Amino acid sequence: MISVEHLTKRYGPHTAVDDVSFHCEAGTVTGFLGPNGAGKSTTMRMICGLTPPTGGGATVDGVPYRRLPNPGRRVGVLLDASAQHPGRTGRETLGLAAQVMGVDRGRVGALLDRVGLDSKAGRKRVRQYSLGMRQRLGLAHALLGDPRVLILDEPANGLDPEGIFWMRTVLRDFADRGGTVLLSSHLLREVEAVADRLVVIGGGRVVADGTKQELLAGTGTRVRGLEPDKLERALTGAGVTVTGTPDGALVAQADAETVGRTAAAAGLVLLELRPADGAGLEQLFLELTANGGTR
Amino acid sequence: MTATATATATPAVPTPRASAAGRPSVGRLTLVELRKMTDTRAGFWLLAVTALGYAALVAVMFFAADPPEQTFYGFFQITMLPSAVLLPVIGILAVTGEWTQRGALTTFTLVPERQRVAAAKLLAGVALAAASVAAGLLFAALGNLAGVAFTDGDGSWQLTAGALGSAVLLQVVNITMGVAFGMLLMSSPLAIVLYFLLPTVWSVLTSMIGALRTAAEWLDLGVTSMPLAENAMSGSDWPKLAASVGLWVVLPLAAGLVRLVRREVS
């Protein structure tokens, strides 16, 4: 279980993370979404005690990370697959971590197998690894201490489609056995397939937090007309809240019948009328990517 | 730090499972640090070059020195030259490598109490210094045997405990200074250059400026450690050595520890 309470990080006048709170329950995968520069990595580093927060705090299983006596046995962390000494072999990298954590050396070979790095890859120096192989090594590193919590920053980066599918299976399986997973991504579609909950962050603030069903469920009705401007005016005139989408369709906060009758009364031709499929979140996310991406 | 401040506010901190709890002991972390100093190419070659340096200097002394100078202690003293230069570099890289190779992210994720990692690195340095002395004794013994057998060397095996202790202390001071510079400067090239440059500049300045001469007597580690290298420490030499060690080792180490514990890892 991970609890984040009012985490805030300021760098001079710039607020990188602004009063972020969320919880990850055991048995679930939480997708931590946001465009690049939204504050995902800073939040995760604060959870892991690597960055001191300006305000607020975070706990893992009720304990602040820095108070965990042997954190590797509780929490598997993969924050940057490239943060390994390039001069060590994959096997040596895991061997060192096993020694620190006091884990049986035998697990090293088993973990390399589990993440799909064969003995030949294990003997190679990390310098020669592709990003995908580093991600696999990083996941092996995270799983080495047999933790109950996983914190992964952009683990799908550099993985091929088969690798992404494999990663999802591993994480789903981990959560189904009672583990807690927090994984970040800047791609909604990437985590949609595996996450139970979604926390969306933009400009350092949480802008959406809920179960995937809640956030992706049809919020309103998607409607597209031959004359979008007139349709929008008609709907607004009938007291229906309307938001635009990038492809010119509208999302109306009313059922299909109300929208249809309003359009008919105004004599407008409809081209599309159906429940909105998570367009709200997709829309929100696109807006964040468009505006929040730059600092 | 704020994280710890909120921690104290948490009413009941549950005790983790005993089996998984086992906080890695500083001893275990020291073994890990020794392994990290030797399992990369840079570390391996630095040690290999040090050993080669031992062999080369022993050979030079065997061929060039007068037979009466070819004693066990004579050979031993000359082997301490390469390690005095190269061990500090290993000490520097042991710390700066965490930042330049980005290993700090992994290291401090597994051991969030960074001062324990720092302690392990210092102890690993001490262990390496002791090992370098042991290796020096081995090479010196070979040189002495060869001297007796082939060049009519003096062949004396005399080595006092004081001489041995002085050699160990000197190596420990050197490598600890390296670790301290690495901790403070956090960059391999900067730390290595300043490690060699600053004491030299200081020596040159003090030899040129008369007003600094007294200061040099107390604060030039090269001057104050000379009697230690020659195993000729007198009563008045110890406070001078302590003062210069304070300036060149303890001070950067203290400042380096503060930086290490505070620095944001990203």
Side-chain angles (χ1 to χ4, degrees):
Chain A
M1 211 191 98
I2 305 168
S3 294
V4 175
E5 305 281 358
H6 307 293
L7 266 185
T8 300
K9 181 68 187 179
R10 276 189 285 274
Y11 294 98
H14 173 68
T15 304
V17 175
D18 191 1
D19 196 26
V20 165
S21 301
F22 61 87
H23 298 266
C24 307
E25 302 298 330
T28 64
V29 176
T30 303
F32 192 30
L33 277 164
N36 294 324
K40 299 187 299 287
S41 298
T42 310
T43 303
M44 290 176 125
R45 286 205 310 273
M46 285 195 280
I47 296 172
C48 297
L50 295 166
T51 295
T54 314
T59 58
V60 178
D61 287 348
V63 186
Y65 191 95
R66 293 189 96 162
R67 290 272 199 93
L68 293 169
N70 195 350
R73 304 291 286 268
R74 276 296 195 92
V75 193
V77 177
L78 170 56
L79 292 185
D80 185 347
S82 299
Q84 294 291 356
H85 197 296
R88 292 197 181 99
T89 64
R91 180 173 285 276
E92 176 67 12
T93 302
L94 294 188
L96 276 170
Q99 197 179 350
V100 173
M101 290 187 261
V103 171
D104 179 38
R105 283 196 54 91
R107 269 184 74 78
V108 169
L111 256 303
L112 282 171
D113 276 350
R114 183 156 167 212
V115 300
L117 293 172
D118 56 21
S119 55
K120 194 175 149 219
R123 282 194 303 271
K124 273 191 188 169
R125 290 181 196 271
V126 174
R127 177 179 293 119
Q128 296 163 280
Y129 278 28
S130 65
L131 182 55
M133 287 168 82
R134 286 178 200 210
Q135 293 284 17
R136 286 171 187 267
L137 181 67
L139 191 65
H141 192 277
L143 292 169
L144 189 60
D146 195 20
R148 289 181 297 177
V149 178
L150 281 179
I151 298 176
L152 313 169
D153 196 2
E154 303 268 1
N157 257 8
L159 288 177
D160 53 21
E162 182 268 330
I164 291 174
F165 181 77
W166 162 81
M167 173 82 71
R168 278 181 197 150
T169 319
V170 171
L171 298 184
R172 189 67 257 167
D173 185 50
F174 185 87
D176 289 346
R177 285 186 287 113
T180 310
V181 180
L182 173 65
L183 89 151
S184 76
S185 177
H186 60 280
L187 300 172
L188 173 60
R189 295 293 168 217
E190 199 174 270
V191 289
E192 201 187 323
V194 64
D196 307 295
R197 291 186 64 86
L198 295 172
V199 176
V200 185
I201 183 172
R205 294 184 145 270
V206 172
V207 291
D209 177 6
T211 65
K212 187 169 64 177
Q213 283 73 21
E214 281 166 16
L215 292 179
L216 293 180
T219 47
T221 305
R222 180 183 158 90
V223 57
R224 202 151 60 90
L226 200 58
E227 295 157 292
D229 295 346
K230 286 186 181 168
L231 181 61
E232 187 171 350
R233 271 199 300 280
L235 285 166
T236 315
V240 175
T241 313
V242 171
T243 47
T245 67
D247 60 358
L250 301 171
V251 175
Q253 300 305 318
D255 58 24
E257 187 181 333
T258 311
V259 174
R261 284 187 184 283
T262 309
L268 295 167
V269 178
L270 291 188
L271 302 173
E272 191 180 353
L273 181 65
R274 61 181 175 85
D277 49 359
L281 187 65
E282 182 109 51
Q283 172 71 16
L284 171 69
F285 201 68
L286 282 169
E287 277 170 16
L288 284 173
T289 320
N291 308 325
T294 49
R295 291 190 167 192
Chain B
M1 239 163 269
T2 326
T4 8
T6 29
T8 40
T10 316
V13 176
T15 324
R17 288 175 296 170
S19 61
R23 188 167 74 155
S25 67
V26 171
R28 197 204 291 169
L29 293 178
T30 304
L31 289 177
V32 169
E33 289 303 329
L34 277 171
R35 184 169 164 187
K36 280 160 77 174
M37 283 176 183
T38 49
D39 72 352
T40 61
R41 271 187 199 157
F44 171 80
W45 282 111
L46 274 169
L47 289 176
V49 166
T50 310
L52 276 175
Y54 285 9
L57 285 175
V58 165
V60 166
M61 188 160 164
F62 170 72
F63 288 113
D66 294 332
E69 286 172 18
Q70 296 195 6
T71 63
F72 180 52
Y73 183 52
F75 280 112
F76 171 64
Q77 270 192 311
I78 206 157
T79 61
M80 289 297 97
L81 291 177
S83 46
V85 177
L86 291 174
L87 281 192
V89 177
I90 297 178
I92 288 170
L93 293 180
V95 189
T96 55
E98 296 279 354
W99 304 108
T100 51
Q101 309 293 351
R102 311 204 52 211
L105 195 68
T106 310
T107 305
F108 296 139
T109 305
L110 290 179
V111 187
E113 294 165 290
R114 300 183 193 175
Q115 60 277 13
R116 289 167 66 82
V117 176
K121 285 187 191 291
L122 287 168
L123 286 174
V126 170
L128 212 56
S132 80
V133 171
L137 290 173
L138 184 72
F139 278 94
L142 293 174
N144 201 29
L145 284 176
V148 171
F150 302 109
T151 61
D152 197 25
D154 177 275
S156 159
W157 288 97
Q158 203 195 6
L159 177 71
T160 62
L164 189 62
S166 297
V168 173
L169 182 60
L170 191 61
Q171 298 296 342
V172 168
V173 166
N174 277 331
I175 196 166
T176 307
M177 183 173 156
V179 172
F181 268 60
M183 264 184 210
L184 183 62
L185 299 167
M186 297 180 162
S187 137
S188 310
L190 189 67
I192 291 173
V193 168
L194 288 186
Y195 174 86
F196 290 109
L197 192 68
L198 278 185
T200 313
V201 168
W202 175 237
S203 292
V204 170
L205 280 181
T206 52
S207 67
M208 282 182 353
I209 306 169
L212 288 176
R213 207 139 293 161
T214 322
E217 271 178 43
W218 286 82
L219 299 175
D220 188 331
L221 190 56
V223 171
T224 59
S225 67
M226 198 72 84
L228 191 64
E230 289 163 357
N231 186 31
M233 290 294 281
S234 68
S236 65
D237 291 332
W238 287 106
K240 290 179 179 172
L241 181 68
S244 48
V245 164
L247 175 68
W248 292 98
V249 181
V250 178
L251 206 62
L253 185 62
L257 276 172
V258 171
R259 269 200 95 184
L260 182 82
V261 170
R262 292 216 180 136
R263 175 160 174 182
E264 181 182 350
V265 184
S266 56

